[in-house]
Amino acid sequence: MPFTTDAPAAGSETMSFLDQDHQLLIDGQWIPAESGKTFEVKNPADGSTLTSVAEGDRADIDKAVAAARKAFEDGPWSRMTASERGKLIWKLADLMDQHVEQFAEIEALDNGKPKSVAAVADVPLAIDLFRYMAGWATKIEGNTIPISVPYLPGAEFHSYTLREPVGVVGQIIPWNFPLLMAAWKLGPALATGCTIVLKVAEETPMSALRLGQLIQEAGFPPGVVNIVTGFGETAGAALAAHPDVDKIAFTGSTEVGKLIVKAAGETNLKKVTLELGGKSPNIILPDADLPAAIAGAANAIFFNHGQCCCAGSRLFVHRTQFDEVVEGVAAQAKEIKLGPGMHPETGMGPMVSQIQQDRVCSYLESGFREGAQAVVGGKRDACSGYFVEPTILVDTKPNMQVIQEEIFGPVVAAVPFDDPDELIATANDSIYGLAAAVWTKDISKGHRIARQLKAGTVWVNCYNIFDASLPFGGYKQSGWGREMGHEAVDLYTQTKAVTVQLH
Ligand code: NAI
Ligand code: MG
């Protein structure tokens, strides 16, 4: 690690939060796991233990689902007006606004990301998502529909639709944007009047627990939001298979996404939305603004240490500009300082866990065995934290694992192309379809390629632009459904058609 100075300690508010007893939020109370078990939470920058949290399991999921069911059917939540729901969500956002620094510190310590990044990206985006969704609470409308009913000539009807909340929702989130993923999930569920059991990632439970405290402070009724810390194979699997859960919203690996679909199918056919992996193509056309495209390509893969489902992990560059672009991105990679998230000079923190560090490094080794070369980076950093150097691979082949599979680390494969017309097929040659980008000064070409790319998000002359109002989700095996925007709201409601005969 390049730093000789220690990272500054987190503020006293964060330290005293970490020192608390971290329990499960069920039915408006913080309670220990039924088993009494806890597990340790690590700081990935040095492998030290930050704190420990309750280890929720099937029994705790059962309790949380029962609390969510009670709150959905009988609680004050079910009688609250849309305006009151919206106000509570807005109040939560206001409370979060008072703790931006603390949330950024928690993310830096627990996930490893730079505090400076969390303070301007993760936390404000999470707050903005809640405000956006607070506005939706009062705008969830059905339609009136003129019906004809040809088999009852002369009869008159008044038909309309109601959009009603789906019910009790299980939400399972990953560790790459812990607070933001909690917001993406909770926001639309709260706006529509659902109740929730949130299972946070075992690697990064802390920011959601702090959010749970603010949810209590904002005054949400008991059982509306229940938060269970615990492992995927136990607590997560129990939630996915629970017969009284009406919907599961999941973000994580495609492998676990398939398990969730199976669990839903084998139990109560609960609704499922999924936001899964990606292997997103980032295309630099010969007429691109090259300095902007180079900076964009570096941001596309190195932002959040490449632990982004939409990371631009396949970089396609015309052969005539290939060396210049690769050198440019490599120069940016060399500038990035690896360090603990709490250090003000850190540009890239550690991978979230040793498992993730090992996974990324084993992908690198497989690429090298098959003939790929690293222009820059290519290995783990020799220190106690879980660091991997920012890496650019060249000399890859289309069938290599490093081209086909999601690495989820700071590793981009740069691939030259000759014929832009053949490029689209290559870019679309993936089981995934989460995001894609194209860099060009020709605006028609940009729009045309945006239509041709099979991805849920396409960026033209930019990368990693997110907004609470923009739907985000995947084509192909990158997922089902969309998060954010009004499409997320739709997916937390179901439509009821009501027909009244007029006499
Ligand atoms: P994962 O899919 O195992 O974990 C995500 C969440 O699912 C966590 O809350 C975990 O506890 C839960 N989970 C795990 N097994 C479960 C099960 N059987 N039933 C219900 N819930 C379960 O992802 P993991 O192992 O942390 O990372 C593996 C790979 O997944 C990464 O290398 C990356 O490729 C991908 N991934 C993608 C993410 C995305 O944003 N789309 C986020 C995290 C990981
Ligand atoms: Mg952690």
Side-chain angles (χ1 to χ4, degrees):
M1 249 200 308
F3 294 124
T4 47
T5 59
D6 283 342
S12 58
E13 201 195 6
T14 299
M15 296 312 282
S16 69
F17 166 69
L18 291 175
D19 279 347
Q20 291 168 10
D21 202 7
H22 300 290
Q23 302 185 322
L24 313 172
L25 178 59
I26 297 180
D27 208 9
Q29 305 288 324
W30 293 98
I31 55 171
E34 188 118 324
S35 66
K37 285 201 232 166
T38 60
F39 65 97
E40 291 187 343
V41 180
K42 300 279 182 197
N43 177 348
D46 57 12
S48 64
T49 299
L50 278 177
T51 186
S52 57
V53 298
E55 186 186 327
D57 200 341
R58 177 177 304 276
D60 308 289
I61 290 291
D62 284 347
K63 270 199 234 171
V65 172
R69 175 59 62 193
K70 183 159 62 83
F72 183 75
E73 305 293 348
D74 321 314
W77 183 244
S78 58
R79 293 185 296 275
M80 221 176 248
T81 64
S83 165
E84 286 166 333
R85 277 204 316 275
K87 270 190 217 153
L88 273 179
I89 302 170
W90 194 278
K91 187 165 174 198
L92 175 62
D94 283 347
L95 288 172
M96 292 172 77
D97 246 346
Q98 294 165 22
H99 300 284
V100 172
E101 179 88 357
Q102 186 190 20
F103 275 116
E105 287 180 349
I106 293 171
E107 296 298 59
L109 290 169
D110 194 12
N111 163 281
K113 65 179 65 199
K115 175 188 161 187
S116 54
V117 174
V120 297
D122 301 55
V123 185
L125 280 170
I127 295 170
D128 204 44
L129 188 287
F130 281 119
R131 294 223 167 95
Y132 172 86
M133 290 298 172
W136 265 113
T138 48
K139 294 161 196 73
I140 299 164
E141 299 168 348
N143 298 311
T144 53
I145 302 170
I147 62 171
S148 304
V149 198
Y151 54 86
L152 290 177
E156 281 187 277
F157 299 93
H158 172 56
S159 285
Y160 60 95
T161 55
L162 295 172
R163 291 205 72 94
E164 297 185 332
V166 152
V168 173
V169 179
Q171 304 186 319
I172 302 176
I173 57 170
W175 41 261
N176 51 343
F177 295 91
L179 180 70
L180 187 58
M181 291 301 102
W184 281 21
K185 295 277 183 288
L186 292 172
L190 291 170
T192 50
C194 294
T195 59
I196 299 136
V197 177
L198 176 71
K199 208 297 280 176
V200 299
E202 49 269 47
E203 293 84 354
T204 56
M206 302 318 297
S207 54
L209 292 175
R210 182 71 185 107
L211 183 66
Q213 294 178 340
L214 298 186
I215 286 170
Q216 296 281 85
E217 199 179 325
F220 285 89
V224 172
V225 179
N226 304 275
I227 302 178
V228 177
T229 47
F231 292 92
E233 297 74 12
T234 51
L239 189 56
H242 202 292
D244 201 29
V245 168
D246 299 305
K247 164 178 166 138
I248 290 277
F250 170 76
T251 298
S253 60
T254 296
E255 180 194 354
V256 173
K258 289 179 180 175
L259 291 177
I260 287 182
V261 169
K262 188 156 176 261
E266 285 172 353
T267 52
N268 60 343
L269 276 179
K270 53 180 72 66
K271 274 86 182 148
V272 176
T273 53
L274 304 169
E275 203 261 272
L276 307 174
K279 192 74 187 174
S280 299
N282 186 18
I283 300 169
I284 302 182
L285 292 180
D287 68 352
D289 171 348
L290 226 46
I294 289 168
N299 166 264
I301 188 62
F302 299 136
F303 174 65
N304 211 44
H305 328 159
Q307 299 173 140
C308 289
C309 45
C310 56
S313 51
R314 292 182 296 145
L315 175 63
F316 295 102
V317 187
H318 195 264
R319 196 173 299 279
T320 55
Q321 293 164 323
F322 188 72
D323 291 346
E324 187 183 348
V325 169
V326 168
E327 273 164 32
V329 179
Q332 304 226 354
K334 285 179 198 151
E335 297 263 295
I336 297 173
K337 288 196 176 163
L338 295 186
M342 284 302 296
H343 200 293
E345 287 173 46
T346 292
M348 186 185 285
M351 300 286 96
V352 74
S353 63
Q354 186 160 8
I355 292 176
Q356 195 59 22
Q357 183 193 37
D358 289 345
R359 186 181 285 139
V360 173
C361 291
S362 79
Y363 272 117
L364 287 172
E365 281 147 26
S366 93
F368 298 145
R369 268 198 312 277
E370 294 176 309
Q373 307 277 337
V375 177
V376 63
K379 55 184 193 313
R380 69 185 75 214
D381 194 88
C383 69
S384 54
Y386 313 133
F387 293 87
V388 176
E389 296 172 345
T391 300
I392 305 175
L393 296 178
V394 294
D395 297 338
T396 57
K397 304 231 161 40
N399 59 353
M400 284 184 185
Q401 262 187 316
V402 290
I403 292 291
Q404 294 292 333
E405 294 177 24
E406 179 173 56
I407 298 178
F408 226 62
V411 181
V412 61
V415 179
F417 67 88
D418 296 299
D419 180 355
D421 293 335
E422 285 172 14
L423 178 64
I424 299 302
T426 312
N428 285 334
D429 179 20
S430 171
I431 61 165
Y432 296 116
L434 194 59
V438 57
W439 299 80
T440 176
K441 285 188 189 144
D442 180 336
I443 198 70
S444 302
K445 207 186 287 171
H447 284 301
R448 184 170 306 115
I449 291 178
R451 291 181 183 195
Q452 292 168 327
L453 289 166
K454 295 196 190 314
T457 289
V458 178
W459 289 295
V460 181
N461 296 333
C462 57
Y463 210 100
N464 282 335
I465 301 300
F466 300 97
D467 193 84
S469 60
L470 266 181
F472 182 82
Y475 280 36
K476 299 192 261 184
Q477 293 190 42
S478 289
W480 291 354
R482 294 292 177 270
E483 298 203 276
M484 302 199 288
H486 62 78
E487 296 200 32
V489 176
D490 292 346
L491 291 170
Y492 282 91
T493 65
Q494 50 196 344
T495 303
K496 178 179 283 175
V498 181
T499 296
V500 182
Q501 182 156 14
L502 306 180
H503 293 291

